[in-house]
Amino acid sequence: MVIQLKRFRVVFLMLLIIVLAACSSTNTEGNTNSGGEGGEASSDKLVIGFSQVGAESEWRTANTKSIKSAITDAGHELKFSDAQQKQENQIKAIRSFIAQKVDAIVFSPVVETGFETVLKEAKDAGIPVFLVDRAVDFEDDTLWVTFLGSDFVEEGIKAANWLVEEMEGVDGDINIVELQGTVGSAPAIDRKEGFEQVMAEHPNFRIIKSQSGDFTRAKGKEVMEAFLKSDGENIDVLYAHNDDMAIGAIQAIEEYGLKPGEDITVIGVDAVKGAFEAMAAGKMNVTVECNPLFGPQLVELIEAHFAGETLDKRISVEEGIYTMDQAKELLPTRKY
Ligand code: AHR
């Protein structure tokens, strides 16, 4: 009887060990590599690598904060890398995420091209990539799961339509200077394209100068100084691809002795607090919204992917446009 009881205990213990070993191996596989094919891993706790463009603007700071906190608040582990607006840094960061066997990569590409090889490496390692904010321009769309961000062409169209309406009834040529974003980046290419689409139907609107200010205040100011030096009083409108460059340019306009918002109509993109302050002070006329606060939506998408859902290839963020006369009232409500 005693011998039988001992045998029973041994068999029971062996069974328990087998069951526990099976459970722990499922969990490890689930959390290590999940596939680009989708939904193999559990989304309980994921390790997520986030390669951000940089810290070039107010918009970017808000976007980084939104994504970082959404990932950690949801209980996932974050590995973060700031590329300082350099493509080579992003390629290095993605390779390092692959080597660390993260579960997913969140990636905002500084420019549209040149990332095929490294994204192929992520795909071969079975790591799904989620593009945020900026898109890429290459054929193979199996290299990322989905893109979440703004419609930059639409933003350029909105800016131009506002201008055409604002200038209705003004005779003669309207001279525009354009501060472009980072050369080769999706927002710079698309905001230019959208704006020019509308301008093409209105030949009296002429873009007389166009140059990159790299999305920063300092560069925006510097390039605007050069525009003013060569074209001074001829400039009617400034179209800046983001608010930071517009704010830098406003300083240049004031230092030149003109009144921004009056002598020169100032258009920005992003709708950051700084733009609302400039509008409330009468120095900027309009800003087209580009919403950076999509961290929680991104995390939902990542978790849906790991739960086996198929996501749309492109998911756009809803956005508006705000003018000088709304600024004072809306400023206290702005979240970025
Ligand atoms: O990609 C989004 C753009 O990048 C924002 O408009 C700009 O402010 C940022 O630097």
Side-chain angles (χ1 to χ4, degrees):
M1 183 67 181
V2 175
I3 293 174
Q4 265 183 338
L5 207 67
K6 272 189 182 163
R7 265 198 206 136
F8 174 76
R9 267 200 211 137
V10 171
V11 172
F12 177 77
L13 276 172
M14 281 169 70
L15 278 173
L16 194 69
I17 289 166
I18 291 167
V19 169
L20 286 175
C23 287
S24 92
S25 96
T26 316
N27 196 33
T28 319
E29 275 166 29
N31 273 338
T32 314
N33 268 342
S34 63
E37 300 307 313
E40 281 168 35
S42 136
S43 69
D44 287 354
K45 182 176 178 183
L46 300 167
V47 179
I48 301 173
F50 171 26
S51 168
Q52 178 60 294
V53 167
E56 74 285 3
S57 61
E58 248 186 86
W59 187 98
R60 186 67 53 198
T61 309
N63 179 247
T64 302
K65 200 167 158 225
S66 170
I67 295 179
K68 274 182 166 180
S69 54
I71 290 175
T72 51
D73 288 354
H76 303 303
E77 185 184 330
L78 170 73
K79 292 184 185 293
F80 178 73
S81 169
D82 173 343
Q84 296 169 350
Q85 298 236 70
K86 292 203 173 73
Q87 178 165 43
E88 64 267 28
N89 290 347
Q90 289 203 293
I91 293 174
K92 262 190 226 151
I94 293 171
R95 291 213 165 109
S96 146
F97 294 151
I98 297 171
Q100 294 175 70
K101 295 186 168 36
V102 298
D103 295 311
I105 293 174
V106 171
F107 173 38
S108 179
V110 61
V111 289
E112 284 190 338
T113 54
F115 288 107
E116 288 96 325
T117 308
V118 75
L119 291 195
K120 175 106 192 357
E121 289 165 24
K123 185 182 174 186
D124 292 345
I127 301 174
V129 171
F130 295 80
L131 291 179
V132 288
D133 163 37
R134 297 187 182 179
V136 287
D137 181 20
F138 39 82
E139 293 283 292
D140 185 359
D141 71 358
T142 66
L143 297 180
W144 67 95
V145 176
T146 187
F147 164 85
L148 171 65
S150 305
D151 184 337
F152 297 136
V153 175
E154 188 54 36
E155 290 170 354
I157 292 174
K158 277 185 193 158
N161 281 337
W162 176 86
L163 181 63
V164 170
E165 219 175 281
E166 180 71 7
M167 296 289 170
E168 209 186 304
V170 174
D171 286 333
D173 286 345
I174 292 158
N175 295 329
I176 304 165
V177 292
E178 179 183 33
L179 280 171
Q180 294 180 39
T182 302
V183 177
S185 70
I189 294 167
D190 294 352
R191 286 174 187 162
K192 184 169 185 53
E193 185 190 318
F195 192 82
E196 283 177 353
Q197 259 178 41
V198 178
M199 290 299 122
E201 293 158 22
H202 302 274
N204 59 321
F205 287 80
R206 301 184 320 137
I207 301 176
I208 55 167
K209 285 266 152 57
S210 181
Q211 203 180 308
S212 172
D214 212 13
F215 281 130
T216 68
R217 283 187 193 200
K219 208 70 206 304
K221 179 168 187 264
E222 189 186 309
V223 177
M224 190 67 198
E225 279 165 358
F227 287 164
L228 286 160
K229 208 168 173 193
S230 62
D231 289 276
E233 320 280 317
N234 285 333
I235 302 171
D236 301 307
V237 178
L238 161 68
Y239 168 45
H241 288 188
N242 81 346
D243 290 337
D244 279 75
M245 291 189 295
I247 292 165
I250 285 171
Q251 247 187 303
I253 297 169
E254 285 179 321
E255 284 170 18
Y256 186 80
L258 292 174
K259 284 195 175 136
E262 266 183 59
D263 299 327
I264 296 180
T265 300
V266 178
I267 304 172
V269 181
D270 281 350
V272 294
K273 272 192 189 146
F276 277 79
E277 281 157 8
M279 290 197 296
K283 297 178 181 185
M284 185 164 165
N285 303 76
V286 68
T287 181
V288 177
E289 187 179 33
C290 178
N291 189 350
L293 307 180
F294 50 70
Q297 194 181 354
L298 168 69
V299 171
E300 271 175 29
L301 292 174
I302 296 174
E303 289 176 350
H305 169 79
F306 280 95
E309 278 178 43
T310 306
L311 305 176
D312 288 345
K313 268 288 163 203
R314 192 178 173 103
I315 298 165
S316 289
V317 178
E318 293 280 306
E319 287 152 349
I321 175 165
Y322 302 101
T323 51
M324 201 186 243
D325 48 312
Q326 301 169 294
K328 276 197 183 122
E329 192 193 329
L330 292 179
L331 183 55
T333 69
R334 295 304 294 165
K335 295 203 168 60
Y336 65 95

